[in-house]
Amino acid sequence: QQQVKQSPQSLIVQKGGISIINCAYENTAFDYFPWYQQFPGKGPALLIAIRPDVSEKKEGRFTISFNKSAKQFSLHIMDSQPGDSATYFCAAADKTSGSRLTFGEGTQLTVNP
Amino acid sequence: GAVVSQHPSWVICKSGTSVKIECRSLDFQATTMFWYRQFPKQSLMLMATSNEGSKATYEQGVEKDKFLINHASLTLSTLTVTSAHPEDSSFYICSAEIAGGFYEQYFGPGTRLTVT
């Protein structure tokens, strides 16, 4: 199974700081890279997604940076807030597998007040 | 927009009984829906992919006779856990891909199943 490796497993950031979560993939056919946010007992919510024709996408405080040659992408959360405390999952999809998402292992983010 | 609902949000059933979970896309049509299972502090595990009007495609290791999936319309898919056992206790989450949305998937709120 194609893998997406996510790091770190857990992250603690102070309020106002920048949270950075990284993902690396192997399958060069991946052409869609979303990030999901999940609160305990809830389903994941689509935060932001990028396609490989751009190197960066920003939506509010959330930015995806994409490095095609390194096969890596990352999520940056600027001005992190306690309400951002959640589990974040990166994922990837490619046409050969339909629209099936391959998920990373998840990162537990805690933003301290 | 892009809201997916699941019903019930939690269910407790006795071992040996069957449980049906509904997944609905409320404000869009979904040609493809997905069913996931998630254990505590773990990632999402894809169980099956269902397309409207056709048989579901199950991931390796998922018993299709135990986890029955029906995608009856462009807005409704159901997962039935048959003859449930305690090891089937888990958090079940569906997602729906917007028709023509090029991979864009939206997830339901999940269903917590406890089998006693």
Side-chain angles (χ1 to χ4, degrees):
Chain A
Q1 184 176 358
Q2 304 297 339
Q3 286 188 332
V4 177
K5 292 193 179 297
Q6 183 171 345
S7 63
Q9 191 172 26
S10 63
L11 178 63
I12 300 174
V13 173
Q14 291 300 118
K15 178 182 176 181
I18 302 174
S19 303
I20 302 174
I21 305 171
N22 301 296
C23 284
Y25 62 95
E26 299 170 356
N27 182 4
T28 54
F30 283 146
D31 57 359
Y32 175 69
F33 304 89
W35 284 90
Y36 286 88
Q37 178 190 58
Q38 186 179 30
F39 292 105
K42 305 293 184 185
L46 179 61
L47 262 182
I48 187 172
I50 199 168
R51 302 189 194 279
D53 52 345
V54 297
S55 60
E56 186 175 280
K57 183 175 182 180
K58 183 176 181 179
E59 288 184 2
R61 296 185 294 110
F62 301 96
T63 300
I64 297 180
S65 295
F66 182 77
N67 186 329
K68 189 173 181 178
S69 59
K71 293 187 284 186
Q72 295 176 347
F73 59 110
S74 59
L75 175 70
H76 297 231
I77 305 175
M78 312 300 286
D79 187 27
S80 299
Q81 299 297 311
D84 296 330
S85 297
T87 301
Y88 292 80
F89 293 96
C90 63
D94 74 274
K95 286 187 282 293
T96 62
S97 61
S99 45
R100 289 164 68 247
L101 291 172
T102 299
F103 280 90
E105 299 89 342
T107 296
Q108 175 78 53
L109 171 65
T110 301
V111 182
N112 288 328
Chain B
V3 178
V4 177
S5 70
Q6 272 183 250
H7 178 79
S9 56
W10 59 271
V11 57
I12 300 173
C13 70
K14 291 187 182 298
S15 187
T17 61
S18 296
V19 173
K20 180 184 282 189
I21 302 170
E22 288 188 352
C23 175
R24 294 181 185 271
S25 56
L26 298 185
D27 52 2
F28 64 96
Q29 292 187 331
T31 48
T32 305
M33 288 184 168
F34 303 84
W35 287 95
Y36 295 83
R37 186 172 179 176
Q38 187 178 35
F39 293 105
K41 298 192 183 300
Q42 291 190 22
S43 189
L44 290 85
M45 183 179 71
L46 180 65
M47 299 175 65
T49 302
S50 74
N51 291 291
E52 184 261 341
S54 61
K55 288 185 178 180
T57 301
Y58 291 82
E59 295 298 303
Q60 192 171 9
V62 177
E63 300 176 61
K64 62 181 180 181
D65 293 331
K66 181 169 190 59
F67 299 100
L68 301 179
I69 292 172
N70 183 25
H71 195 151
S73 73
L74 286 173
T75 60
L76 172 66
S77 177
T78 59
L79 168 68
T80 301
V81 183
T82 63
S83 186
H85 289 94
E87 57 266 30
D88 299 324
S89 298
S90 189
F91 193 51
Y92 292 88
I93 315 172
C94 71
S95 72
E97 181 186 8
I98 292 180
F102 193 45
Y103 303 153
E104 208 167 309
Q105 285 185 37
Y106 293 87
F107 283 79
T111 297
R112 172 75 58 193
L113 169 64
T114 302
V115 184
T116 61

